[in-house]
Amino acid sequence: MNSATLRSEQDRNHNQQSLFPKMRNLTNFSLFGCLLFLVLTGCQTAAWNAQDIPLPPPVLDVDSLDNVRLQSPQSPQQPQFPAARSRKTVRSLIDVPIHQPVEGAEDQKVLDVVVKGNRSIPTHQILQKVSTRPGRFFDPAALQNDVDNLWQMPTIERIEGPFLDKTPQGVIVTFEVVERDSIQEVKFVGNRGITDKVLKKTLDIKDGDPLDVHQIRMAKSRIEDLYREKGYPRTQVEILEGSQDGDQSVVFLIHEDEKQRIWRVEFEGNTIASDGRLKHFVESKPGILKVFGGLVNRTEIDQDVVRLTSYYRSLGFFNARIGREVSESNDGRWLTIRYIINEGPRYRVRNVSFIGNAAYNNQQLLDMLDFKPTQEEPNPEFNVAKMNQDVRSLRDLYGSQGFVFAKVEAEPRFLEEPGLLDLVYKVEEDKQYYVGDINVHFQGDFGITKKSVILGRLGLRPGDLVDAREIRNGERRLRSAQIFAGANPGESAPKVVLRPAELKELERFAEGPAGRSYR
């Protein structure tokens, strides 16, 4: 064997030796890959086979939720809330908004909504308050709103749950409601002067309504008030049934006394006004022929004292004190009311002054007043009616010259000297206005009357100085027109409304006739 043959044989042996480790590595890798493939295939096969095996429904982990109204089916079904309707927070179970499906969240769909515990309330009426519906994706926030809506139903006492039953096909939501006790019958015992029909009409309670203890107690007070208005001032009412939870009937026991009427009204201590004059200010007075009207109402008698006091103060008797005495007949059916009056001194006006006036000086305003000190009567007796008439005169003075939004108020100021006061008229003149646009607004069928018919009865034109008196006259002419509503009682009468013009509107009327400025 020559040297070339020997070298070639050595090279081949060397190549074979170097190839064997590579083949061993490749074989190991192939064996590892096959093993990995078998493992994965077996796991997947196990998963596929597991789908055919029914699984028990998992229990919702409630312990991981805080401030939760939800309960697991295995938890004792006890009320989780007090009787008061408090708002709690449902923690989000999944991050899947309602109506927004997410891949892999099919088991979070609502499979069914179940209502239990309702006896008289139809199930469909309860489900109308619930937005959680079968087929929708479960949303804890929506479920929280559903619970709140159910708690607001007056016929439901409380909500137990909701309970969640999570299955592979979806979530089953169960509401257990506790209904309020319903009123089977409303009865009245002891009433003679007022019939059951009138009493039931007065109360906001009828057969079949849910029992509300607070509402029953309010009804008791309304019955007593009704009896006082009808002339039974001492009638008392008791609740025999209906004041406790679980009662099914409401029974009012009425201790009805004799109906009282007013026999006579008397006045004592009055010097400025006669008895006949004072009777015009009281509502409690004898009825016609002592039969029709004249029922005793203690609240009305108290209001009569206030009316008499206001009348005396309007005449300047600011220190007047009025009391009353009520005496009954022997049988308790007739009442005599005696008003005891302490008039006190009558105040007089020492001086009249003005504050806030600029367009008119004090003397010009003073000349407009009828109620003021004069040489003949330096200190006239105070009279609120005369004072109010002067207030209207001052307002008309300003209103006739374009100051339609001017305010005038009278303020009596008492002095240290008893029996004397000063009258101070406070004036807020505002701006002087001219007529701008006149807009006519119709209500109803406005296809008949023309705008010119309205303008012809107003008496004002754009550019004129606004006169409040002329505006009132225009309103009166519109009301008297037979073509407009308001001629008959109860109809909406025509009305003129004034408003300041906007800046753009004022620019159009900046220069009036003869270069006169309207701003």
Side-chain angles (χ1 to χ4, degrees), residues 67-137:
N67 296 327
V68 177
R69 272 182 168 169
L70 310 180
Q71 304 176 39
S72 64
Q74 288 76 14
S75 61
Q77 300 181 4
Q78 297 295 331
Q80 300 298 312
F81 313 105
R85 298 174 181 267
S86 60
R87 181 180 180 88
K88 295 183 180 296
T89 303
V90 175
R91 183 176 174 181
S92 179
L93 301 182
I94 56 175
D95 297 327
V96 181
I98 194 168
H99 299 310
Q100 186 177 352
V102 177
E103 184 179 357
E106 291 295 325
D107 58 340
Q108 298 294 342
K109 279 187 176 181
V110 178
L111 184 61
D112 194 9
V113 178
V114 181
V115 178
K116 296 181 179 180
N118 54 317
R119 304 185 307 273
S120 59
I121 310 174
T123 301
H124 68 85
Q125 183 177 350
I126 297 177
L127 293 178
Q128 288 177 355
K129 302 291 184 179
V130 176
S131 61
T132 301
R133 304 289 173 83
R136 296 182 178 179
F137 284 87

Side-chain angles (χ1 to χ4, degrees), residues 356-359 398 401-408 427-433 499-500:
N357 53 308
Y398 276 96
Q401 300 301 316
F403 298 94
V404 289
F405 297 106
K407 297 180 180 179
V408 180
V427 181
E428 295 181 13
E429 294 180 345
D430 198 61
K431 300 178 182 179
Q432 193 176 30
Y433 289 92
R499 67 174 181 83

